[in-house]
C-alpha cells in the first residue's frame, strides 16, 4: 500500500469511530442530494481499505459494500467530481455487481468527502438504473451538499473526540476516586479493628437495635456478642433512664454526635458506668444508616470518685462538727472561767491580807492564762474553717496601745525589764479596723518579748510607712533583748505548735499557737509579718497593716454614763441566764449600784417575769434551755410588742452572731467574759429611763447633731421651701429601703460591682439630705478591695446610723 493511502486510511480511521447510525441531518442531506440530482439513489459513505460504509442513504437497502465492488473507489482515485453517464460502457465499473442485470446501474456520480487534512475519507454519490446526466447546476448543488455532509461528519467527529476526551478524564477521576474510597474503606476498617481490640464497640441500626457488638462490650454487660445481636439499646438501661432514650436516639438520627459518662445495666442488675461516644454514620445522601458506639468501662473510677466525694463531704461535716464542738467546749470552759475571774477580782478589791492577795493574784494569773489558751484554740478553729471575721470599725489606736501597754507593763515590771512605747507623730489617732484583733496580736508579740527577755528591754515602735487618699499603712515593731531564736528555727517560727526549743517551752510554758494565730490575723487584715533574731541577743517581730483613716465617733455612752451617775433613778433589769455562777456574778457586780435585778433561768421564765412587772432593760443570754435568747427576743418583740432595750450576752464572740442579735431586734451585745465597766456602760446607755427621757426632749439641733445630719444642706437646696424639703426627705427614705434590699441581695452573692454601684448612687441621696457619706465612701472602697467582711461590718454600721437618721427625718416631716 502506498504511503499516501496509508495516511488516508489513518484519517478514515479517525472518522470510523462514527459507527453509530447516521444522524438525521446526514440522512436529510442524502435525501436532498437525491432530490436535487433527480435520481432515486444517494449515499454518503466512508471508505476504508476494505469496505465502503454507508452512513446515510436513500434508495438502497444494504449498509456497506466491499471496496473492490464499489463505484466510489474511482471517485477517490479521481479525487474530484466523477460522473459516469453510461455505466455499461465504462471499463472501470461495467463488471461490478451493481451494474449487472436489467435493474443494474446505468448512471453514477460521486464527490469525494475531503477531511480538513486533505485526505478523502469517503464520498457522497448518486446513482440510477436509468441513464442520466447532471446539469451544471445540479452538479454544483451536489458538490455543495457533499461539502455540507463533510462539515457535519467533521463536527460530529470533533464532538465525539471531545466527548471521548471528557470520558477519559472522567474515567481516570473515577478510578482515582474508587481507589481512594477503597483506601479510606480499608483505613476505616483497620481503625474499627484497632479500636475494637482495646475498646468496647457496638454497631446499632438507626432504630437502636444492635447488629454487632464486640466481645469487650458484651463482657462489660455480662453477655456474649451473639446474645446482644438484635436487642434494643433500651434493654441495656435502667427503667428510670428509658424515658429519655427515645429523644436520645432521635437526636442521633439527626446526625448528632453524643458522648459522656453513661450508666448501664449489667445482666446481674448492678450499675455499670461507661465512658462512651455514639457516632452516627451517614450514607451518600446524608442519612444516618448506622451508629457506632465506642466505650470504655469506668465503673471503678466513678465509684472511687463517689467514695472520695463522700469522704470529702464527711470531712466537711466532721469539720463543722469539730467547729461546733470547739465553740461549745470553749463556751463551757469560758463560762466558769469568767465566773472564777470575776469573783477573784471582786475578792481582790476587798482583800487586805497580803498573803491572801498574793494567792488571789496567782489564781487570777492562772485564770487569765487559761482564758488566753481557750481563746487561742477557738481562734485556731475559726481560722481553719474560714469563719473568722475582721471588724471594720472606727477606734482610737493610741488608746488601744495605751490599754495594751498598761496591761503588759505590770509583767515587765515584775521581770524588772524596761518596756517602752514610741509612736511616730504621723501615726493617726483614729483608724478603721478590728481593735480587738489588733490588740490580740500586740499582746501576743509583746507578751512573748517580755516572756523571753530576762534583762534589757522590750520596745514597741509604731510608724507610718506610707499614706495615700484611701489608706494609711502602719508598721508595728516589737524589739527585745531576750534569748533570741536560733537561725534554723526562724523559718518555722510561725508554724502551728512550733516552739523554738523544748527546754524553752518547759521553762516558759505556752502552746506554740500565738505566733501562728497572729500571722493569720495579720494576713486576714491584708498585712504581712516578719521576724529577725540573733540567738542570745534578741529578736524583732514586725508587722505592717493597711488601715483606713477614721474620725472620732460621737460618744453617746460616756454622756449617758455621766448623766446616769447624776440621776437617782432605780433601773429595773431582767437577767435571762441559765448558768447559776453567771447569775451570781452579775448579781454581785450590780449590787453596789442603783439596780433592781430579777433573774430568770430560761427564756420562758423570762417572758413570765416580763409580763408580771415593768423593766427598763433585759440582759439576754443566748444559749439557754427551753427557750434560747433568740426565741425569747422574737417573742418579746413580736408577741408582746415591747421596745424595752435588750442586750445580748454572747458567748462566742463571732461577728455573725452579733449581727444576728441586732437583726432579731436586740439593741446591743456584750461578749462574755465582760468586765464590770463594760456591763455598766451598756446599762447606762440603754437602761436609764431618765436619760432616755432627756434624749427625747432634746432640741431639734441636738437630735440633728446626734443623727449627724446637716440640716443646712437641705435648707440651702430648698431656699426655705419646707414642702420641697419634706418631699426630698420622703424620697430619701424610699430610696434607703430599696438600697437596703438591693444591698442584701448583692452582699449575699458577694457581687462587688453592684455593691459599689448602688452605694455610689445612694451617696448622692445621702448628700442631699445632709447625711454623713463617710461610711458609704468606705463601702465603695471596700467593694473595690472585694473585702466582704469589711463591707458587712461597715454596712451594719450604716444600718445602725440609718436607725437614728430615718426616725429623725420622719419626726421632722411631722412638724
Ligand atoms: P507560745 O509562746 O505560746 O509557745 P508562740 O507561737 O507565741 O507560742 O511562740 C512560739 C515560739 O516562738 C515560742 O515558744 C518561742 O520558742 C519562740 N518565740 C516567740 N517569740 C519569741 C521572742 N520574742 N524571743 C524568743 N523566742 C520567741
Amino acid at each position: 500500500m502506498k504511503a499516501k493511502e496509508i495516511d488516508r486510511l489513518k484519517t478514515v480511521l479517525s472518522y470510523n469511530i462514527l459507527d453509530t447510525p447516521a444522524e438525521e441531518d446526514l440522512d436529510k442531506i442524502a435525501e436532498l442530494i437525491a432530490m436535487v440530482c433527480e435520481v432515486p439513489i444517494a449515499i454518503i459513505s466512508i471508505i476504508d481499505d476494505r469496505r465502503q460504509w454507508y452512513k446515510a442513504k436513500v434508495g438502497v437497502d444494504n449498509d456497506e459494500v466491499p471496496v473492490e465492488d464499489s463505484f466510489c473507489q474511482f471517485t477517490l482515485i479521481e479525487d474530484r467530481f466523477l460522473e459516469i453517464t453510461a455505466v455499461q460502457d465504462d471499463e472501470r465499473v461495467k463488471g461490478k455487481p451493481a451494474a449487472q442485470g436489467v435493474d443494474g446501474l446505468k448512471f453514477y456520480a460521486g464527490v469525494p468527502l475531503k477531511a480538513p487534512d486533505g485526505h478523502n475519507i469517503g464520498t457522497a454519490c448518486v446513482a440510477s438504473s436509468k441513464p442520466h446526466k447532471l446539469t451544471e447546476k445540479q452538479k454544483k448543488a451536489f458538490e455543495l451538499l457533499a461539502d455540507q455532509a463533510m462539515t457535519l461528519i467533521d463536527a460530529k467527529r470533533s464532538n465525539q473526540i471531545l466527548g471521548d476526551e471528557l470520558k477519559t478524564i472522567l474515567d481516570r477521576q473515577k478510578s482515582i476516586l474508587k481507589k481512594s474510597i477503597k483506601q479510606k474503606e480499608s483505613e476505616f476498617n483497620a481503625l474499627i479493628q484497632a479500636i475494637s481490640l482495646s475498646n468496647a464497640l457496638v454497631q446499632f441500626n438507626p432504630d437502636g437495635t444492635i447488629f454487632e457488638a464486640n466481645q469487650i462490650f458484651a463482657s462489660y454487660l455480662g453477655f456474649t456478642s451473639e446474645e446482644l445481636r438484635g436487642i434494643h439499646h433500651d434493654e441495656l438501661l435502667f427503667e428510670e433512664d428509658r424515658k429519655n432514650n427515645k429523644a436520645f436516639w432521635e437526636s442521633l438520627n439527626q446526625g448528632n454526635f453524643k458522648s459522656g459518662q453513661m450508666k448501664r445495666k449489667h445482666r446481674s442488675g448492678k450499675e455499670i458506668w461507661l465512658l462512651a461516644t455514639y457516632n452516627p454514620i451517614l450514607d451518600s445522601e446524608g442519612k444516618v444508616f448506622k451508629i457506632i458506639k465506642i466505650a470504655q468501662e469506668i465503673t471503678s473510677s466513678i465509684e472511687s470518685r463517689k467514695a472520695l466525694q463522700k469522704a470529702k463531704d464527711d470531712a466537711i461535716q466532721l469539720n463543722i462538727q469539730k467547729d461546733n464542738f470547739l465553740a461549745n467546749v470553749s463556751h463551757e470552759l469560758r463560762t466558769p472561767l469568767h465566773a472564777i475571774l470575776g469573783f477573784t477580782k471582786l475578792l481582790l478589791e476587798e482583800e487586805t491580807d497580803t498573803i491572801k492577795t498574793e494567792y488571789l493574784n496567782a489564781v487570777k494569773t492562772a485564770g487569765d492564762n487559761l482564758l488566753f489558751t481557750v481563746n487561742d484554740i477557738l481562734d485556731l478553729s475559726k481560722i481553719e474553717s474560714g469563719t473568722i471575721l475582721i471588724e471594720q470599725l472606727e477606734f482610737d489606736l493610741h488608746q488601744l496601745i495605751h490599754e495594751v501597754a498598761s496591761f503588759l507593763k505590770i509583767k515587765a515590771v515584775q521581770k524588772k525589764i524596761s518596756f517602752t512605747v514610741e509612736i511616730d507623730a504621723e501615726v493617726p489617732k483614729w483608724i478603721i479596723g478590728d481593735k480587738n484583733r489588733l490588740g490580740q496580736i500586740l499582746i501576743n508579740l509583746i507578751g512573748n518579748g517580755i516572756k523571753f527577755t530576762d534583762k534589757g528591754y522590750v520596745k514597741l515602735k509604731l510608724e507610718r510607712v506610707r499614706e495615700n487618699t484611701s489608706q494609711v499603712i502602719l508598721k508595728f515593731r516589737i524589739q527585745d533583748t531576750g534569748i533570741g531564736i536560733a537561725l534554723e528555727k526562724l523559718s518555722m517560727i510561725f508554724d502551728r505548735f512550733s516552739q523554738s526549743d523544748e527546754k524553752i517551752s518547759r521553762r516558759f510554758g505556752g502552746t506554740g499557737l500565738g505566733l501562728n494565730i497572729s500571722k493569720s490575723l495579720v494576713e486576714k487584715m491584708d498585712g504581712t509579718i516578719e521576724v529577725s533574731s540573733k540567738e542570745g541577743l534578741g529578736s524583732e517581730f514586725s508587722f505592717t497593716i493597711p488601715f483606713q483613716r477614721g474620725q472620732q465617733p460621737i460618744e453617746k455612752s460616756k454622756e449617758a454614763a455621766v448623766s446616769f451617775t447624776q440621776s437617782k433613778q432605780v433601773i429595773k433589769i431582767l437577767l435571762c441566764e441559765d448558768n447559776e455562777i453567771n447569775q451570781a456574778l452579775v448579781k454581785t457586780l450590780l449590787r453596789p449600784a442603783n439596780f433592781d435585778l430579777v433573774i430568770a433561768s430560761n427564756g420562758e421564765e423570762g417572758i413570765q417575769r416580763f409580763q408580771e412587772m415593768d423593766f427598763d432593760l433585759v440582759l439576754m443570754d443566748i444559749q439557754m434551755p427551753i427557750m434560747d435568747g433568740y426565741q425569747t427576743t422574737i417573742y418579746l418583740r413580736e408577741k408582746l410588742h415591747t421596745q424595752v432595750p435588750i442586750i445580748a450576752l454572747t458567748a462566742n464572740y463571732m461577728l455573725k452572731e452579733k449581727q444576728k442579735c441586732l437583726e432579731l431586734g436586740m439593741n446591743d451585745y456584750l461578749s462574755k467574759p465582760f468586765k464590770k465597766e463594760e456591763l455598766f456602760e451598756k446599762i447606762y446607755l440603754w437602761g436609764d429611763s431618765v436619760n432616755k427621757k432627756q434624749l427625747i426632749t432634746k432640741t431639734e439641733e441636738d437630735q440633728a447633731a446626734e443623727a449627724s445630719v446637716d440640716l443646712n444642706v437641705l435648707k440651702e437646696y430648698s431656699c426655705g421651701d419646707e414642702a420641697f424639703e419634706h418631699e426630698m426627705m420622703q424620697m430619701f427614705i424610699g430610696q434607703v429601703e430599696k438600697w437596703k434590699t438591693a444591698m442584701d441581695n448583692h452582699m449575699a452573692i458577694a457581687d462587688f460591682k453592684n455593691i459599689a454601684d448602688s452605694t455610689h448612687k445612694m451617696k448622692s441621696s445621702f448628700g442631699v439630705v445632709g447625711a454623713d457619706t463617710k461610711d458609704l465612701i468606705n463601702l465603695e472602697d471596700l467593694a473595690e478591695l472585694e473585702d466582704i467582711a469589711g463591707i458587712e461590718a461597715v454596712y451594719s454600721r450604716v444600718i445602725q446610723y440609718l436607725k437614728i437618721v430615718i426616725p429623725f427625718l420622719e419626726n421632722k416631716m411631722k412638724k
Side-chain angles (χ1 to χ4, degrees):
M1 209 184 283
K2 285 187 197 149
K4 199 175 167 211
E5 179 58 7
I6 291 173
D7 284 348
R8 187 193 77 81
L9 280 176
K10 275 186 193 160
T11 307
V12 171
L13 216 63
S14 78
Y15 285 86
N16 252 358
I17 42 173
L18 302 172
D19 50 0
T20 48
E23 292 202 1
E24 253 179 44
D25 292 346
L26 217 52
D27 279 339
K28 279 193 184 125
I29 294 175
E31 257 173 55
L32 218 57
I33 293 173
M35 261 159 65
V36 168
C37 297
E38 292 173 281
V39 289
I41 297 169
I43 300 170
I44 297 169
S45 59
I46 285 180
I47 302 166
D48 61 18
D49 55 337
R50 287 180 298 112
R51 291 189 176 290
Q52 174 175 7
W53 305 94
Y54 301 173
K55 293 296 166 192
K57 60 184 186 181
V58 178
V60 286
D61 293 333
N62 52 328
D63 291 325
E64 45 151 327
V65 61
V67 174
E68 58 273 22
D69 293 344
S70 74
F71 287 26
C72 286
Q73 58 180 305
F74 303 106
T75 306
L76 290 189
I77 294 166
E78 204 68 17
D79 196 20
R80 60 188 170 87
F81 177 75
L82 166 70
E83 187 176 32
I84 303 171
T85 47
V87 169
Q88 63 285 2
D89 301 330
D90 190 294
E91 280 310 315
R92 294 168 293 186
V93 293
K94 69 177 184 193
K96 301 293 176 201
Q100 309 310 312
V102 195
D103 294 329
L105 296 180
K106 304 286 182 303
F107 168 78
Y108 167 86
V111 179
L113 297 177
K114 203 175 279 296
D117 65 358
H119 293 299
N120 297 327
I121 60 159
T123 57
C125 70
V126 289
S128 174
S129 49
K130 292 185 187 136
H132 189 64
K133 184 167 171 54
L134 298 180
T135 65
E136 222 21 65
K137 265 190 185 165
Q138 281 175 323
K139 185 184 150 199
K140 191 93 190 146
F142 180 25
E143 279 178 332
L144 277 173
L145 286 168
D147 238 22
Q148 196 58 43
M150 183 62 220
T151 313
L152 209 67
I153 290 169
D154 216 37
K156 196 172 176 210
R157 189 190 71 146
S158 302
N159 277 348
Q160 180 119 10
I161 290 170
L162 267 178
D164 284 354
E165 271 173 17
L166 200 66
K167 191 167 170 280
T168 323
I169 293 170
L170 284 178
D171 283 350
R172 202 179 313 131
Q173 292 290 22
K174 221 158 88 184
S175 95
I176 293 172
L177 221 65
K178 254 190 194 158
K179 253 194 218 152
S180 88
I181 286 172
K182 246 206 151 64
Q183 169 87 8
K184 284 269 167 310
E185 216 172 72
S186 65
E187 271 176 25
F188 180 74
N189 287 337
L191 192 72
I192 292 285
Q193 193 71 26
I195 290 171
S196 80
L197 283 178
S198 53
N199 290 272
L201 197 108
V202 197
Q203 306 203 43
F204 292 95
N205 292 313
D207 66 357
T209 51
I210 295 175
F211 70 85
E212 202 173 314
N214 72 352
Q215 195 44 47
I216 300 179
F217 182 77
S219 68
Y220 283 169
L221 297 168
F223 290 96
T224 63
S225 300
E226 290 69 41
E227 283 171 323
L228 286 178
R229 193 165 299 134
I231 77 161
H232 194 272
H233 184 249
D234 263 357
E235 291 177 46
L236 310 177
L237 304 188
F238 284 90
E239 188 63 43
E240 66 270 20
D241 297 330
R242 285 191 193 149
K243 56 183 183 301
N244 297 328
N245 206 29
K246 198 163 170 261
F248 181 82
W249 280 88
E250 274 167 12
S251 173
L252 283 173
N253 273 295
Q254 281 158 13
N256 296 320
F257 169 92
K258 303 266 169 194
S259 71
Q261 297 177 351
M262 326 235 167
K263 189 174 75 186
R264 297 291 174 258
K265 196 165 98 183
H266 188 271
R267 184 176 215 157
S268 64
K270 70 177 185 207
E271 256 180 32
I272 294 291
W273 282 88
L274 300 178
L275 183 65
T277 57
Y278 286 76
N279 314 274
I281 310 291
L282 309 182
D283 63 15
S284 57
E285 277 151 28
K287 247 185 91 193
V288 173
F289 77 99
K290 67 174 174 181
I291 286 127
I292 296 184
K293 170 184 179 171
I294 300 166
Q296 275 168 336
E297 204 207 330
I298 50 164
T299 313
S300 54
S301 79
I302 291 272
E303 274 168 2
S304 60
R305 206 162 63 208
K306 275 187 189 163
L308 212 69
Q309 185 60 40
K310 188 174 175 311
K312 200 174 147 199
D313 292 347
D314 287 352
I316 292 171
Q317 194 51 39
L318 228 65
N319 218 16
I320 295 170
Q321 280 173 10
K322 186 198 78 184
D323 284 347
N324 288 342
F325 173 75
L326 279 173
N328 287 338
V329 167
S330 95
H331 169 68
E332 295 300 329
L333 288 174
R334 289 197 309 160
T335 307
L337 210 53
H338 166 210
I340 293 168
L341 289 173
F343 281 118
T344 310
K345 210 173 160 207
L346 285 176
L347 285 176
L348 270 170
E349 278 173 16
E350 287 165 15
E351 192 53 66
T352 47
D353 185 297
T354 26
I355 295 187
K356 282 187 188 163
T357 307
E358 201 179 305
Y359 290 167
L360 282 172
N361 270 323
V363 173
K364 193 176 168 302
T365 313
D368 280 340
N369 287 340
L370 192 54
L371 197 60
F372 269 119
T373 308
V374 170
N375 285 341
D376 275 0
I377 292 171
L378 183 66
D379 278 348
L380 197 71
S381 86
K382 283 200 253 169
I383 288 168
E384 259 189 0
S385 62
T387 52
I388 200 153
L389 291 172
I390 300 294
E391 266 182 353
Q392 291 292 334
L393 295 174
E394 243 138 8
F395 70 92
D396 181 344
L397 177 61
H398 293 234
Q399 173 67 24
L400 171 72
I401 303 279
H402 176 72
E403 281 168 21
V404 168
S406 41
F407 172 72
L408 291 162
K409 184 98 190 171
I410 307 161
K411 292 190 180 171
V413 169
Q414 282 166 352
K415 287 192 80 176
K416 298 196 177 64
I417 53 172
S418 103
F419 172 49
T420 51
V421 176
E422 288 171 26
I423 304 178
D424 272 7
E426 297 90 13
V427 172
K429 187 170 162 64
W430 290 93
I431 56 172
I432 296 173
D434 194 324
K435 174 184 168 186
N436 293 329
R437 293 299 184 185
L438 181 61
Q440 188 181 346
I441 301 165
L442 287 169
I443 288 175
N444 176 247
L445 297 181
I446 303 169
N448 275 349
I450 296 172
K451 185 156 91 172
F452 296 108
T453 304
D454 288 331
K455 56 176 185 298
Y457 62 84
V458 175
K459 243 185 227 168
L460 166 66
K461 285 186 177 175
L462 176 48
E463 54 201 57
R464 187 187 70 173
V465 181
R466 252 192 336 273
E467 179 157 12
N468 58 29
T469 45
S470 62
Q471 283 183 328
V472 49
I473 297 171
L474 300 179
K475 182 163 190 163
F476 301 76
R477 294 170 190 271
I478 298 99
Q479 300 166 335
D480 68 57
T481 54
I483 59 171
I485 302 161
L487 193 62
E488 67 273 16
K489 301 281 179 187
L490 261 188
S491 60
M492 50 184 175
I493 204 76
F494 292 109
D495 291 351
R496 194 167 297 169
F497 304 116
S498 105
Q499 291 182 318
S500 65
D501 196 319
E502 268 182 33
K503 273 183 277 157
I504 290 176
S505 62
R506 269 199 301 280
R507 188 174 138 211
F508 295 97
T511 55
L513 288 177
L515 286 180
N516 180 266
I517 293 171
S518 294
K519 181 169 187 277
S520 301
L521 291 175
V522 168
E523 286 169 356
K524 196 87 182 127
M525 297 180 189
D526 296 328
T528 51
I529 187 166
E530 49 199 61
V531 58
S532 63
S533 182
K534 276 220 168 76
E535 212 173 355
L537 288 179
S539 316
E540 177 177 311
F541 284 84
S542 63
F543 63 94
T544 309
I545 297 178
F547 292 97
Q548 284 176 51
R549 267 184 181 270
Q551 279 175 8
Q552 182 165 8
I554 305 152
E555 294 210 31
K556 292 176 283 173
S557 58
K558 292 260 168 63
E559 287 168 19
V562 172
S563 70
F564 174 75
T565 43
Q566 289 159 359
S567 101
K568 292 279 175 291
Q569 181 88 5
V570 175
I571 299 184
K572 292 189 271 328
I573 301 172
L574 171 63
L575 169 68
C576 299
E577 163 70 79
D578 61 320
N579 186 301
E580 282 167 11
I581 303 176
N582 280 344
Q583 291 175 358
L585 182 65
V586 173
K587 211 164 156 181
T588 319
L589 287 176
L590 296 185
R591 195 185 300 143
N594 234 354
F595 302 117
D596 192 349
L597 181 72
V598 173
I599 297 174
S601 298
N602 59 57
E604 196 181 74
E605 206 185 307
I607 290 168
Q608 263 174 29
R609 297 287 94 78
F610 193 87
Q611 286 170 310
E612 287 161 12
M613 60 184 282
D614 286 341
F615 286 100
D616 297 310
L617 180 77
V618 180
L619 296 174
M620 183 76 74
D621 184 29
I622 299 298
Q623 288 173 331
M624 286 187 293
I626 307 177
M627 240 177 138
D628 69 18
Y630 298 134
Q631 294 165 321
T632 314
T633 302
I634 295 172
Y635 193 94
L636 290 176
R637 291 284 185 248
E638 290 178 9
K639 291 265 170 9
L640 303 185
H641 302 290
T642 174
Q643 289 311 316
V644 166
I646 303 175
I647 297 172
L649 305 177
T650 61
N652 305 334
Y653 49 93
M654 288 183 178
L655 246 164
K656 274 193 186 143
E657 193 147 317
K658 292 177 185 174
Q659 272 166 6
K660 187 170 173 190
C661 291
L662 296 180
E663 278 162 21
L664 290 180
M666 300 194 204
N667 301 71
D668 208 338
Y669 46 76
L670 198 54
S671 293
K672 289 198 274 184
F674 44 78
K675 294 193 192 109
K676 182 177 170 182
E677 305 79 57
E678 289 170 342
L679 175 65
F680 271 51
E681 199 175 289
K682 296 291 181 198
I683 296 175
Y684 294 149
L685 177 61
W686 294 104
D688 179 15
S689 55
V690 174
N691 199 21
K692 269 187 287 177
K693 275 180 207 123
Q694 278 176 358
L695 279 176
I696 293 160
T697 53
K698 270 183 182 173
T699 63
E700 192 176 274
E701 281 68 31
D702 285 345
Q703 289 174 42
E706 194 169 15
S708 52
V709 171
D710 186 354
L711 291 167
N712 293 327
V713 178
L714 242 186
K715 283 207 175 84
E716 253 175 53
Y717 279 122
S718 71
C719 303
D721 180 349
E722 263 198 13
F724 172 79
E725 282 175 28
H726 289 182
E727 204 180 311
M728 295 310 279
M729 288 176 188
Q730 196 58 55
M731 261 168 70
F732 172 77
I733 293 169
Q735 281 171 345
V736 163
E737 283 314 309
K738 281 193 199 137
W739 179 67
K740 278 184 349 197
T741 321
M743 281 294 278
D744 288 342
N745 293 338
H746 301 330
M747 278 160 58
I749 54 166
D751 180 348
F752 297 109
K753 187 173 179 307
N754 274 319
I755 291 173
D757 287 354
S758 58
T759 304
H760 184 77
K761 279 185 213 138
M762 202 58 216
K763 206 168 62 189
S764 53
S765 306
F766 267 55
V768 170
V769 295
D772 189 350
T773 56
K774 179 181 78 259
D775 272 338
L776 296 192
I777 298 170
N778 286 341
L779 273 179
E780 276 189 83
D781 288 346
L782 288 166
E784 198 167 309
L785 296 170
E786 306 201 337
D787 176 357
I788 192 73
I791 291 170
E792 280 170 357
V794 176
Y795 178 67
S796 78
R797 197 164 62 201
V798 177
I799 296 301
Q800 291 304 316
Y801 171 61
L802 287 168
K803 279 187 185 154
I804 306 170
V805 173
I806 293 190
F808 166 72
L809 293 178
E810 281 169 345
N811 221 5
K812 182 109 186 45
M813 285 190 288
K814 279 187 209 139
K815 284 178 191 155

